[in-house]
Amino acid sequence: VDTFETKDGGFFQGTVPKGDYLAVAKIPGYPYEGGGATPIEKPIKIGGATTVVDFAIPATGFVRVDVTNGMTAAPLAAKVSVVGLQATPEPAIGETTPFGAVNGTLFGYDAHEKVVIYGLPQVQFAGPSGSTPVFAVPPGSYQFVVSHGPEYSISKNPLTVVAGSAASPQVITAAVVPVVDTTGFVSADHHVHMINSPDSVVSKEERIVTMLAEGVDYFVASDHDFKTDLTADVLALN
């Protein structure tokens, strides 16, 4: 029916028509209240007076990933895929052939790495500095897979995330190296939307960073109804 965002202090408020509702709370990167795989639903009845519903979100962990080119030791833009090795709040994904089931949910099996993959809770990107922002990850066991497009190797980094502070994140240091000679080739994406399109919320800086992280050499800014010149934005990112 509606969504409200919390302000400083964790408070939220809003108006909805009279009636019976179920309220749930979710913060990206945080566990659900109660620590389960789905949010707790709290029944509320909206009448003539103010109705109060409270949530208690558990503490979460914080991670930063620093990436370098293993050949030159220079910082490298990269994609960080956070792979859940245990049940995560997101839907399970896996190989096409089921390997087993937990509570009736099928999960897949990676025959090469002998790792049961439950889900991909989130993806983060490191820009030209080689470092991702500090990001929240619910406590648990994960594999942080670092990549820079198909021309480079990948780096798999297991980490048990514990609850902590954003000021003192757990840090992963990863290196990837070029493994495919693409001399004479240009990697390209000819249809990319950004903030100027009414159907996209991706900022210009974020779009440039994602292309760098994926090793794309050339892309077309195909925003609906706009021609976008990214020269100044590329220069600002060095």
Side-chain angles (χ1 to χ4, degrees):
V1 173
D2 212 336
T3 301
F4 307 111
E5 294 185 355
T6 57
K7 306 303 181 184
D8 290 344
F11 297 102
F12 65 95
Q13 66 178 17
T15 59
V16 293
K18 294 179 181 180
D20 296 317
Y21 298 89
L22 292 174
V24 300
K26 179 178 181 180
I27 304 175
Y30 281 71
Y32 294 126
E33 182 175 10
T38 58
I40 291 178
E41 297 179 338
K42 298 191 175 184
I44 58 173
K45 179 181 289 290
I46 304 299
T50 297
T51 302
V52 178
V53 58
D54 293 331
F55 296 92
I57 303 298
T60 196
F62 294 90
V63 177
R64 189 189 78 230
V65 181
D66 299 333
V67 185
T68 59
N69 183 326
M71 299 287 288
T72 65
L76 186 70
K79 179 173 73 172
V80 179
S81 301
V82 183
V83 179
L85 302 185
Q86 58 191 36
T88 64
E90 299 302 322
I93 61 171
E95 301 295 316
T96 55
T97 302
F99 176 71
V102 175
N103 295 329
T105 300
L106 296 175
F107 59 88
Y109 184 71
D110 184 336
H112 301 290
E113 296 296 332
K114 307 297 183 184
V115 172
V116 176
I117 299 175
Y118 279 92
L120 189 70
Q122 59 175 297
V123 172
Q124 298 288 332
F125 292 91
S129 69
S131 296
T132 67
V134 175
F135 56 96
V137 182
S141 297
Y142 300 88
Q143 187 160 236
F144 291 76
V145 181
V146 179
S147 61
H148 183 76
E151 301 172 40
Y152 279 68
S153 65
I154 61 173
S155 173
K156 298 181 178 181
N157 305 271
L159 178 68
T160 298
V161 177
V162 297
S165 166
S168 301
Q170 294 172 262
V171 178
I172 294 173
T173 301
V176 296
V177 297
V179 292
V180 178
D181 182 6
T182 58
T183 302
F185 289 86
V186 175
S187 61
D189 190 330
H190 292 268
H191 188 89
V192 177
H193 290 187
M194 297 180 300
I195 193 67
N196 285 344
S197 285
D199 60 351
S200 174
V201 297
V202 179
S203 70
K204 292 186 286 184
E205 177 179 332
E206 183 181 5
R207 177 56 69 210
I208 296 168
V209 167
T210 60
M211 292 293 129
L212 286 170
E214 294 284 19
V216 176
D217 301 313
Y218 169 82
F219 72 94
V220 177
S222 52
D223 290 318
H224 292 298
D225 305 323
F226 286 93
K227 291 183 177 179
T228 304
D229 184 354
L230 291 171
T231 302
D233 302 279
V234 171
L235 291 175
L237 289 171
N238 293 318

